Amino acid sequence: MGNNDAAAQGVDWKNTLFLLLGLGLFTLVYFSPAWPDVFDPLGKKFVLTREGKGAIAVFLLAGTWWVFEVLPIGVTSIAIGVLQVLFLIRPAGAAFKDFMDPSVLFIYASVMIGLVFTKTGLTKRLAYKMLMIVGEKTSMIYLGCMVVTAALTHIMAHTAVAATIYPLLLSIYSLYGEGDKQTRFGKGLFMSMAYVAGAGSVITLLGAARGAVAVGFYKDIVGTEISFFTLSYYMFPIGWLMVFLLWGFFMIFFKPEKAVIPGLREKATQLNAQLGSLTKNEILAAIIVVSCIVVLSLRSFVPALNALDKTAIILVSTLLFFITGIMGIEDLENVPWNIILLFSGAMSIGFCLWETGAAKWMAVNWLLLFQKANWFIFIMSIAFFVLVMTNFIMNVAAIAISLPVALVVAPYLKVAPEVIFFAALVTAGMPFLLLVGAAPNAIAYDSKQFTSGEFFKYGLLASIMLMVVLALFVAVIWPLMGMPVTIK
């Protein structure tokens, strides 16, 4: 019996199966006997407490429900908080406080910027200008969108870039002529935005918070600092290589149904002319957004500004949108709360794994499997661990969990700390598997062009491609560029 027939009779057996699978994994782990302690190479003991085991149980349930969309993704996030409290893993004050973590509000403010761009008409204007340049070939539209997305992440947070680009993609897709129907072009257009936002964001410290956090850990543990330009020197080639490889990837797996959209350039020129000159609200919105981006970017260079939290800065834009009348109370109804809740839950489970010690216990267990391995295998094992963790919890936490342990283990294997730092940062920036891995993933999902299962399926292939590219850089390219890989 097909899924549709089952659903028509009131029971979706596939959905029920994965619902029970998530609950079964939770029950199996939570009620299992105590798991063994683990010791790092320095002899430090890591104990998995009852609360830590409970955190892993919630982690498995949430991952299962998210991948198979058992419930709306935002509702699964609510389950994360509820389970922590009901099973005494963390108190309610901690579990639910994370739902309004500054990172969640940063995503909210980024989404509001996207909504303003759409409302004022700036998005259409940008979309038409871009189509006038890239032309009518759908392959070039793919490439143009990817290049613009990646380039913008060099100067602003990839979350804000995704929120800005997303409505532009909606405008472009509306000209494809298939309405809201799911198509290969639609899937490729939105999923590629999420993937290349990650690839571009690793290139500079401005692309995401994870870079600054990793630099801080590196300085504390190793005693030397990775500069802004050193990071970009090593990350630029791998970031842009991934952008162009992803273009090829999407042209293979999501080759557009139409090779050309006849008359598109002419239509875009006509529609752009109909918009007339910039309106007062478009100019005002652009000034507000650009000002916030400039201040955010300057934080990396001006110590006085670094004291200002990035969330507070970007939320100023939301306040100004309402103060100036660009947005009204009715616009709050357009906020994709499902996406906001998704990240609320991701923050809650991330902090839960961190605060209960479960994440460090997992990291030490994993890295100890490779403590006597070849240097290359060890580096790739760290990168792989970060890749997996960054898909489930915020990438800042994935770096915070794995980098300190890896940098402690590295000297025993004669591995240079620099290559550990860069390899971990590459995979932390490209979570292609789960929607919770990064805000651009969830923003792209709001297009309704693909399911979380499809995102996971093709993300698996993209992640394998990423690991192959990283292996090439670790073994050949970075050493040629002057990066120390081993120590005597």
Side-chain angles (χ1 to χ4, degrees), residues 76-98:
T76 294
S77 292
I78 294 172
I80 289 170
V82 170
L83 289 169
Q84 287 179 60
V85 176
L86 293 183
F87 286 87
L88 307 179
I89 298 167
R90 283 202 304 166
F96 290 116
K97 184 179 72 176
D98 298 336

Side-chain angles (χ1 to χ4, degrees), residues 222-245:
V222 180
T224 56
E225 189 160 3
I226 303 277
S227 73
F228 184 97
F229 296 105
T230 299
L231 182 137
S232 294
Y233 171 69
Y234 288 119
M235 288 300 209
F236 186 91
I238 192 168
W240 275 104
L241 177 59
M242 279 303 297
V243 170
F244 289 107
L245 286 176

